[in-house]
Amino acid sequence: MDDLQFFHVVASSETLTAASRELGCSLPVVSKRLSALERRLDVRLVQRGARRLVLTSEGELYAARVEGILDQIRELEDTITDTAGGLRGSLVVEATLGLGRTHIAPLLGEFAAAHPELHVRMQTSALPLRPHQREFDVAVHVGMPPDSSLRMRRLAKNRRVPCAAPSYH
């Protein structure tokens, strides 16, 4: 179970460094653990690149099945657990780096404190929202969404005013 959760974090991260931050351990620990998992399975799951990691075809298959298994476990736990005490389970929130750090993280901290049985995780990325990957439950996005199949709700207006020095032509 621990290996499944570990690989899910690695597979949903853009780099091993990002995975190490998410897992709360050092990059060498993540790298060694991933290597040990690959040795145990006798297959290469991830191509490690200088800028980002890419799942092999076996890694993509493993990640998809791992996600399904983890979803089934969460559903089972939700089914057998009394939810009258409050929110339970997990919530993954995605946002861009600046928006996430500045505005969303403080609010999520308060929300998580109010719901201790809920595992809240925020994913930030410098890249625009990638709805086709569906690695989130909720995404906070600025501007027009890239995918009209998503259900959206405006949270706030984002008024911008262009400014320049008088000498700018």
Side-chain angles (χ1 to χ4, degrees):
M1 179 72 181
D2 199 34
D3 277 346
L4 297 179
Q5 291 171 329
F6 165 79
F7 189 72
H8 178 69
V9 171
V10 170
S12 62
S13 299
E14 293 181 17
T15 63
L16 286 182
T17 302
S20 69
R21 266 188 251 120
E22 178 69 29
L23 293 164
C25 54
S26 70
L27 178 59
V29 168
V30 171
S31 183
K32 286 178 185 176
R33 185 164 178 194
L34 178 59
S35 295
L37 178 62
E38 290 175 326
R39 273 193 311 277
R40 183 174 66 80
L41 297 173
D42 194 28
V43 67
R44 188 106 167 137
L45 298 170
V46 175
Q47 292 293 339
R48 295 150 179 89
R51 296 197 179 252
R52 58 185 297 232
L53 60 87
V54 177
L55 297 178
T56 63
S57 57
E58 294 85 357
E60 287 187 19
L61 175 63
Y62 193 68
R65 296 275 176 94
V66 161
E67 186 172 355
I69 291 167
L70 292 175
D71 285 344
Q72 288 177 348
I73 290 170
R74 281 190 285 270
E75 286 176 26
L76 175 61
E77 289 175 349
D78 289 346
T79 300
I80 63 171
T81 304
D82 178 23
T83 58
L87 298 177
R88 293 177 182 241
S90 65
L91 175 67
V92 179
V93 178
E94 183 166 304
T96 57
L97 287 170
L99 180 67
R101 287 182 182 158
T102 307
H103 300 286
I104 307 303
L107 296 173
L108 274 183
E110 291 176 23
F111 185 77
H115 304 281
E117 296 294 318
L118 183 66
H119 174 69
V120 178
R121 183 168 60 104
M122 185 174 82
Q123 298 178 161
T124 58
S125 174
L127 299 173
L129 180 65
R130 298 169 309 215
H132 62 281
Q133 290 186 342
R134 306 279 183 191
E135 296 170 352
F136 56 86
D137 298 307
V138 175
V140 182
H141 176 74
V142 176
M144 292 302 295
D147 183 351
S148 63
S149 69
L150 298 174
R151 291 195 302 169
M152 301 162 277
R153 175 174 289 157
R154 181 185 303 254
L155 299 176
K157 289 189 176 189
N158 186 18
R159 184 169 172 250
R160 298 193 179 223
V161 178
C163 300
S167 62
Y168 182 76
H169 292 290

